[in-house]
Amino acid sequence: MASVASLLEDAHKSGDRWATYALGTWYFHGRFFDKDEKKGFLLMLHAAEGFIPDACFDVAVSYETGKGIRKNLRKAGIYYFRGMMLGEKQSIAEVGRLFYWGIGLPKNRDIAKELLNFRETEN
């Protein structure tokens, strides 16, 4: 009987970006595989490039914290923004936070206020 990991590997190889994202998180966090943040990040990045909302958020967090990849606040902003545009709810608050403080995006408290107010109405 095939393991879940081998099924995910097969799905990933067939182009399933959700499977790619799942594998990425497993490698990144060391669940079911030996922990490999770099490999996990690259798999999540591949999924984010395929417009998987959750992958966009996780890639943004990695770029912001420097976990699995060199820290890059501009790229963090890009992937939080992409996640927000794809409907990933936490990304709305993160983009608002970045605009509020001018982290990786130009400081704009008016936009930040709108995003953070919108995020509050979503809960």
Side-chain angles (χ1 to χ4, degrees), residues 1-120:
M1 183 163 182
S3 70
V4 172
S6 66
L7 292 173
L8 277 177
E9 289 277 359
D10 290 345
H12 159 66
K13 289 175 185 169
S14 296
D16 183 323
R17 297 291 173 101
W18 281 101
T20 302
Y21 173 61
L23 284 174
T25 62
W26 286 8
Y27 277 107
F28 193 82
H29 297 290
R31 185 172 180 126
F32 306 113
F33 297 106
D34 290 335
K35 187 174 184 173
D36 185 337
E37 289 179 350
K38 185 174 182 173
K39 182 175 184 171
F41 173 82
L42 291 174
L43 286 165
M44 290 187 300
L45 180 62
H46 185 66
E49 291 300 316
F51 301 101
I52 302 300
D54 297 343
C56 293
F57 178 82
D58 287 345
V59 165
V61 170
S62 290
Y63 274 126
E64 186 173 8
T65 62
K67 192 170 183 183
I69 191 72
R70 179 178 288 164
K71 191 174 192 175
N72 185 321
L73 298 178
R74 186 185 64 76
K75 286 185 179 181
I78 289 167
Y79 282 96
Y80 280 132
F81 196 86
R82 181 181 286 183
M84 178 183 75
M85 295 302 293
L86 292 169
E88 201 290 315
K89 301 234 185 263
Q90 183 59 36
S91 292
I92 299 167
E94 298 305 326
V95 171
R97 177 180 59 84
L98 296 180
F99 271 120
Y100 187 86
W101 295 109
I103 300 170
L105 297 171
K107 189 178 202 177
N108 188 319
R109 298 261 167 106
D110 291 331
I111 292 174
K113 183 179 176 183
E114 290 301 316
L115 289 169
L116 295 170
N117 284 338
F118 177 77
R119 176 67 173 116
E120 289 299 314

